Amino acid sequence: MDFHSQLMKALLLRLAPLLLLLSMAALACSDSEPVPTPTPIPTSTPVPTATPEPTATPEPTAIPEPTATPELNALFSYTSAVQLLRAALYEEAIPQFGLVIRRLPDFAEAYYGRGVAYFHEELLAPALEDLTRAIELKPELAAAYRARADVYEAQEEYDKAIRDLEEAIEAYDDFRHADKIEEAHQRLDAIRWRNPP
């Protein structure tokens, strides 16, 4: 499972209670079957009754459709932004991640995604700012350290790049991310070889 799939899973897990409430509300608002009224038991002597005057039948009141919450809208924006990032449409991904950040300002993965898009657009200062914010919000987000190391390396701040690669190695799960850990070790070795102390 790649990182973006993990991000989507984390977001879905975060929004699962909200989605459950929305579905329960939708079920509560749905039309239900009418309950039949019991037929009266006939009496031995029928009593004539007056026929009531016809009355106008009131129009049924429309049941309001449940509206999406900001979190649900943010989920759709995030999905779109991740797809744009995967398609290397970085310029288009940046504002999509911005929408997510406006709706969910504490969602570290959105800052990470926008930071990566900024980096690929060679906008190093905003990339560094977003990646740093992602790490502040979620210190265990190894990919943010790894991406910020790329920014530091591009800025020729090799000590900071080395420190972030070491943090990424510590934050990655040994079992699930063995390949990413190995790649980070190779990057560390390359930086150290090109820039001895």
Side-chain angles (χ1 to χ4, degrees):
M1 185 184 305
D2 69 347
F3 181 74
H4 295 291
S5 298
Q6 292 173 3
L7 291 178
M8 287 303 302
K9 183 178 178 182
L11 182 60
L12 286 172
L13 288 174
R14 235 176 168 181
L15 294 177
L18 174 66
L19 294 173
L20 179 63
L21 286 174
L22 283 174
S23 63
M24 288 172 53
L27 286 175
C29 293
S30 67
D31 293 330
S32 59
E33 293 293 319
V35 177
T37 55
T39 308
I41 300 174
T43 60
S44 57
T45 55
V47 178
T49 58
T51 305
E53 290 295 318
T55 59
T57 307
E59 290 294 317
T61 308
I63 298 173
E65 291 291 321
T67 57
T69 63
E71 291 83 7
L72 192 55
N73 286 337
L75 173 64
F76 293 122
S77 295
Y78 180 74
T79 302
S80 173
V82 169
Q83 290 172 345
L84 291 167
L85 190 65
R86 285 181 177 166
L89 298 171
Y90 306 116
E91 190 174 344
E92 293 86 353
I94 291 169
Q96 280 299 114
F97 280 116
L99 289 173
V100 178
I101 290 167
R102 277 193 289 285
R103 291 181 182 138
L104 298 171
D106 294 333
F107 188 41
E109 288 82 354
Y111 286 98
Y112 162 74
R114 190 171 70 175
V116 170
Y118 277 139
F119 175 75
H120 286 288
E121 286 293 305
E122 298 180 8
L123 299 168
L124 300 183
L128 184 61
E129 184 178 321
D130 276 359
L131 293 167
T132 300
R133 181 68 180 139
I135 291 167
E136 289 169 356
L137 291 169
K138 193 171 184 180
E140 69 275 10
L141 187 57
Y145 288 104
R146 172 66 184 78
R148 192 170 71 172
D150 289 341
V151 176
Y152 283 139
E153 188 176 2
Q155 293 176 333
E156 298 181 0
E157 295 187 50
Y158 301 112
D159 290 341
K160 291 180 180 179
I162 289 169
R163 187 179 67 237
D164 272 2
L165 285 169
E166 290 170 342
E167 288 288 337
I169 290 167
E170 287 297 314
Y172 278 128
D173 180 278
D174 292 339
F175 180 72
R176 292 184 8 215
H177 300 116
D179 57 331
K180 294 179 187 214
I181 293 170
E182 178 60 31
E183 188 269 338
H185 277 294
Q186 291 172 358
R187 289 290 310 283
L188 266 174
D189 293 341
I191 292 172
R192 288 177 177 148
W193 182 79
R194 285 193 319 264
N195 304 290

